[in-house]
Every structure is written in C-alpha cells, then in structure tokens.
Amino acid sequence: MRLDHERGHRPGSRDQHPHCAARCAHPRPAPPGEPDPGEFSTRPSDYPDTAGNDQVGSIIESQRMAEFVVLPAEVDPALTEENLDLTRPIWGPMPLAFLLADTDPIIEQIGEETGMIAGFSTARFTKDGQARMVHAALRFRDAAAAGDAAERLHQHLADPAESGPTIGAYPLATMPDSRVHTVDTDYSRSVAALTAHGHYLICTFAAAPPTGRAGPTKPSNTPSSCKNR
C-alpha cells in the first residue's frame, strides 16, 4: 500500500479518502468574521459503524459518557475555571491511575483486574483557586466488578502510606454503600467518594481551605490528579 505523498497527493486534499469526495464536493464559504476553511469540509466525519478494536471502542464510549457526567458547576456555580488535565476521557486503567494519583501501578492493576471499560472525568476550580472539584463516571463489565473496584480503590487510597497520616474514613448516613475518606493538610480539607451504581462507579473529589484559613494561590493549586498534597 502506498502513502498519499507517494501518489503525489497533498495531505488533507479532497481526494485523500474514498469518502471525502461526498463530504467535500460543495464546501461552504465561511460566514463573515469566521476562519475560512478553504476547500476543506467542516462537516464532522461519519460515526464509525464498528470501533475496530477494544481501545478505540473504549475511547468512543468514554467520550460518549461525557454527556451524562454531572458538571462541577451544577453542584456549585462558583466552580467555573477549567482544569484540562482532569477533564478527559478515562479510556482505561492507565488514565484511571493518572486521574486518581498521577501514576500508580496498583490502581492500574485494579482497573485491569476489575474489567474497567471506559469513563469520563471533569474538573473545575473557583476563580480564586481556593476550591476545586473533580467528578468522574467509570464503566465496568458488570455491577460486581464496579463494586469490587470501589472497595479495592478505597482500601488503597485510604492507606496512610498513600495519602498521608491525616486520612480518615467518613461514612455517609445517606449513602452507606459509598466509600468515602477525607484528608486534611495545612491548606485544604478534601473528601473523596467512590459510589458503585450498577455497572458504573461514580468518583467524586472536592477540596477547599479549612474554615478561616486561605489556601495557596491558583497557580500552585492546580493538581494533575485527585490526590491531595
């Protein structure tokens, strides 16, 4: 099979792909004030009939789940500032470990062994950077796997060796099946909850300064994971 440039085709040209002719036959001029796409179509590509492999299927399902994840601003309207590191598809055990702890082979192993399929997370800060929230929904192969993942992740994350000596369990009377723990530092008090719901696992992390004490400024308060520091 020869590549496009071997046939003298310019990458992105309208005859690059067998389906491109129909998509690009009648390019629309840009409205005044908008970027001009030239001869290239701006119509989205057709949705694939099949994913092709498990990883692509997980990515597609993860992105589809974004529509159904509760946004932090729906919980607290003050949470408006985005964190792109933590707003993303969680398509497998590796990004799950990144979400919960930057990187952690034990979390990756739990994701692998419990059959995590897909997920999506969203994160927001307040404008002053003092409070933050991360909310994610993860999909597993069945309800038993989701419950097993919740218990194993909670036991791992609630270990003082992982999260520091101030970590503590925090049972919720209204949701007794949720696995919840809190962490206190000099600058913040955080709570993390893992709630299995059918074959889904809902992960919620929120942090704010202790009462009467301000946290660090926003630039130093932008974590790459839910793990408190």
Side-chain angles (χ1 to χ4, degrees):
M1 180 175 66
R2 296 186 300 176
L3 300 177
D4 286 322
H5 65 80
E6 293 175 329
R7 299 196 302 265
H9 288 183
R10 179 164 49 88
S13 64
R14 63 176 59 188
D15 58 349
Q16 177 184 4
H17 191 277
H19 300 299
C20 196
R23 295 179 59 232
C24 305
H26 303 288
R28 300 178 181 177
E34 293 187 11
D36 188 349
E39 64 178 8
F40 299 100
S41 172
T42 58
R43 186 178 76 79
S45 299
D46 295 330
Y47 200 80
D49 294 328
T50 59
N53 60 60
D54 290 344
Q55 183 174 359
V56 172
S58 293
I59 293 171
I60 293 173
E61 174 63 7
S62 295
Q63 191 61 52
R64 186 196 68 81
M65 289 175 64
E67 183 179 351
F68 304 98
V69 177
V70 174
L71 301 177
E74 295 180 271
V75 178
D76 182 348
L79 294 164
T80 58
E81 305 304 295
E82 63 187 14
N83 182 335
L84 295 180
D85 282 343
L86 298 179
T87 300
R88 55 183 296 173
I90 309 297
W91 45 263
M94 184 175 67
L96 173 64
F98 180 84
L99 171 71
L100 297 180
D102 283 344
T103 181
D104 188 324
I106 294 179
I107 292 178
E108 286 193 47
Q109 181 180 357
I110 292 172
E112 290 280 2
E113 294 177 351
T114 55
M116 181 194 164
I117 296 174
F120 191 88
S121 70
T122 179
R124 291 293 186 273
F125 289 87
T126 53
K127 287 186 179 295
D128 60 8
Q130 298 292 296
R132 64 185 187 267
M133 180 178 180
V134 183
H135 193 224
L138 310 174
R139 183 174 180 178
F140 291 80
R141 59 174 176 253
D142 53 38
D148 185 30
E151 181 62 32
R152 292 176 62 181
L153 288 170
H154 174 69
Q155 292 297 328
H156 177 62
L157 295 172
D159 184 346
E162 293 295 324
S163 300
T166 63
I167 193 164
Y170 192 87
L172 291 178
T174 55
M175 299 186 69
D177 293 333
S178 292
R179 279 72 168 177
V180 184
H181 64 263
T182 61
V183 176
D184 291 319
T185 70
D186 291 339
Y187 298 105
S188 70
R189 170 168 289 177
S190 67
V191 59
L194 298 166
T195 305
H197 182 72
H199 58 282
Y200 293 96
L201 177 58
I202 301 169
C203 305
T204 306
F205 172 89
T211 303
R213 182 180 298 178
T217 58
K218 184 177 179 180
S220 63
N221 198 34
T222 304
S224 59
S225 74
C226 296
K227 198 169 187 177
N228 225 342
R229 294 172 176 80

